[in-house]
């Protein structure tokens, strides 16, 4: 921590007095891409953001808010944002934790992002996940009716899932789903809660219930598209992730034939994105089956399908991350006899691609673990 802080020079030391003395000039980012400048944010409420813009009162509903750019932002906050964007979540958490400000709302935001970064960095460390879940619960209690409350609940549920506390995660996520309607968070939060709940059921080994939950999440995302136009891109992606999750439950059940069939059926969809995730899912199913049966020919087939998935994924998203991870696994399974003496180095390159290019995906942690073996 001292090494990091020693590299930072307070902004105020670099600016003349006339600049540091100027009035607060926050910027509110809207989901439609526009910015509202010249705001002094004074309140964060469950309904949205309030403040002053010149001599006028200012208010923006929560469902239209994408984020906030604070006036006179501490360099630690800026550094934390940079680390987050690079996927260096541990460093991001350190920077956000070092933020000092006289503005209570800014300090609360820094604390929120510190915990968010900590949750993103836990990997397989269940103890750290449990600590992060407790910290987020404390943040929610200390910032009652904050506009970030829905995301805080979602992250708390995720951290509880990662800590192995499936029952607690289920309670948190169902509460979020209920409040999405009751407290007006919006239908997008219902879809997000349902999807995270499905992941929790997978972690608890409840594949039948998880399949139902994934279908429910897909349906909720579809319904939310009718009213949450500003979240259309995320909701479309969530629908795809829910379909993928449904197929992966068959992989978890070791019903590889059913899994491969499910993903092949997705390939009939005209969407290029679905074609990519379908190939990645079929490749995963074929790899798992071949790994269990030691069928080298099927491993080769899996390689070809996974390579196709990477090519089809023009957006370089979840499908590419999964495909590259399993391409590395295929090389390790085939070994030196089939792939030559450099098979381990080539597998490592695949894992490095996943961890560096797709750090926010669940495959990044698996790739890092595989690379360390």
């Amino acid at each position: 921590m001292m090494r990091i802080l020693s590299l930072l020079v307070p902004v105020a030391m670099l600016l003349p007095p006339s600049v540091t003395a100027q009035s607060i000039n926050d910027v509110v980012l809207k989901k439609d891409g526009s910015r509202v400048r010249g705001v002094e944010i004074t309140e964060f409420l469950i309904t949205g953001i309030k403040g002053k813009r010149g001599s006028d009162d200012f208010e923006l509903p929560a469902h239209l808010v994408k984020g906030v750019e604070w006036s006179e932002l501490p360099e630690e906050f800026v550094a934390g944002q940079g680390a987050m964007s690079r996927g260096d979540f541990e460093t991001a958490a350190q920077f956000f934790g070092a933020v000092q400000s006289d503005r209570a709302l800014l300090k609360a935001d820094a604390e929120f992002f510190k915990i968010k970064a900590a949750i993103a960095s836990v990997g397989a460390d269940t103890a750290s996940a449990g600590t992060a879940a407790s910290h987020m619960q404390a943040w929610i209690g200390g910032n009652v009716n904050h506009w970030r409350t829905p995301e805080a609940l979602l992250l708390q549920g995720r951290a509880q899932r990662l800590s192995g506390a499936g029952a607690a995660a289920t309670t948190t996520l169902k509460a979020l789903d209920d409040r999405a309607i009751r407290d007006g968070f919006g239908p997008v939060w219902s879809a997000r809660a349902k999807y995270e709940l499905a992941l929790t059921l997978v972690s608890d080994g409840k594949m039948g219930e998880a399949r139902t939950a994934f279908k429910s999440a897909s349906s909720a995302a579809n319904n939310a598209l009718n009213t949450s136009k500003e979240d259309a891109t995320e909701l479309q992606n969530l629908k795809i992730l829910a379909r993928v999750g449904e197929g992966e439950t068959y992989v978890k059940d070791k019903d590889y034939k059913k899994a491969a069939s499910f993903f092949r059926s997705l390939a009939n969809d005209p969407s290029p994105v679905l074609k990519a995730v379908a190939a990645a899912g079929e490749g995963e199913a074929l790899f798992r089956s071949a790994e269990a049966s030691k069928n080298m020919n099927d491993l080769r087939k899996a390689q070809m399908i996974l390579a196709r998935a990477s090519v089809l994924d023009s957006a370089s998203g979840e499908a590419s991350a999964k495909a590259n991870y399993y391409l590395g696994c295929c090389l390790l399974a085939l070994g030196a006899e089939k792939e030559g003496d450099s098979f381990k180095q080539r597998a490592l390159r695949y894992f490095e691609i996943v961890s560096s290019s797709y750090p926010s995906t669940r495959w990044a942690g698996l790739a890092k673990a595989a690379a360390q073996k």
Side-chain angles (χ1 to χ4, degrees), residues 145-339:
N145 291 330
H146 194 288
W147 79 275
R148 293 196 190 277
T149 296
E151 185 179 4
L153 287 168
L154 186 75
L155 291 170
Q156 182 188 356
R158 182 176 301 162
Q160 289 167 330
R161 165 172 65 85
L162 294 172
S163 74
T170 297
T171 298
T172 299
L173 295 167
K174 285 185 175 179
L176 172 58
D177 196 7
D178 290 341
R179 291 186 67 181
I181 306 303
R182 187 180 72 246
D183 294 346
F185 294 168
V188 65
W189 287 106
S190 177
R192 290 164 176 159
K194 284 179 167 64
Y195 177 71
E196 196 70 40
L197 176 60
L199 296 179
T200 300
L201 292 168
V202 169
S203 295
D204 284 350
K206 300 173 181 179
M207 298 307 153
E209 292 180 48
R211 277 191 284 276
T212 300
F214 279 124
K215 290 175 183 176
S216 180
S218 181
S219 177
N222 199 51
N223 291 336
L225 281 167
N226 295 323
T227 56
S228 303
K229 303 299 183 184
E230 62 275 4
D231 296 304
T233 300
E234 181 194 348
L235 288 167
Q236 291 286 5
N237 188 53
L238 197 152
K239 283 177 61 179
I240 292 169
L241 289 174
R243 297 300 305 278
V244 172
E246 184 182 349
E248 287 180 345
T249 60
Y250 296 113
V251 176
K252 294 284 187 180
D253 274 340
K254 298 184 179 180
D255 190 347
Y256 303 122
K257 184 176 180 180
K258 178 68 175 178
S261 174
F262 177 91
F263 283 113
R264 277 195 297 271
S265 70
L266 289 188
N268 295 325
D269 193 282
S271 165
V273 177
L274 264 179
K275 288 184 182 297
V277 299
E282 184 183 358
E284 176 188 28
L286 193 54
F287 167 78
R288 290 299 183 192
S289 176
E291 182 184 41
S293 65
K294 308 298 182 185
N295 188 321
M296 295 294 119
N297 289 332
D298 281 351
L299 282 173
R300 288 296 190 201
K301 290 178 184 177
Q303 274 185 312
M304 293 174 62
I305 294 171
L306 291 164
R308 185 170 78 246
S310 186
V311 172
L312 288 171
D313 187 17
S314 58
S316 295
E318 185 86 7
S320 291
K322 178 193 276 192
N324 279 284
Y325 170 73
Y326 278 113
L327 282 167
C329 292
C330 283
L331 285 171
L332 293 180
L334 287 164
E337 183 178 345
K338 298 292 184 181
E339 289 290 339

Side-chain angles (χ1 to χ4, degrees), residues 22-28 36-41 52-53 69-72 103:
Q22 67 184 7
S23 61
I24 291 173
N25 187 23
D26 301 322
V27 179
V28 180
V36 184
R37 303 178 186 275
V39 178
E40 180 180 352
I41 298 172
K52 301 289 289 186
R53 196 178 188 200
E69 290 181 355
W70 295 100
S71 177
E72 300 179 17
R103 299 185 68 185

Side-chain angles (χ1 to χ4, degrees), residues 41-44 50 70 103-110 146:
I41 298 172
T42 57
E43 288 185 89
F44 278 157
K50 284 188 175 184
W70 295 100
R103 299 185 68 185
L105 294 179
L106 191 157
K107 194 72 169 66
D109 236 18
H146 194 288

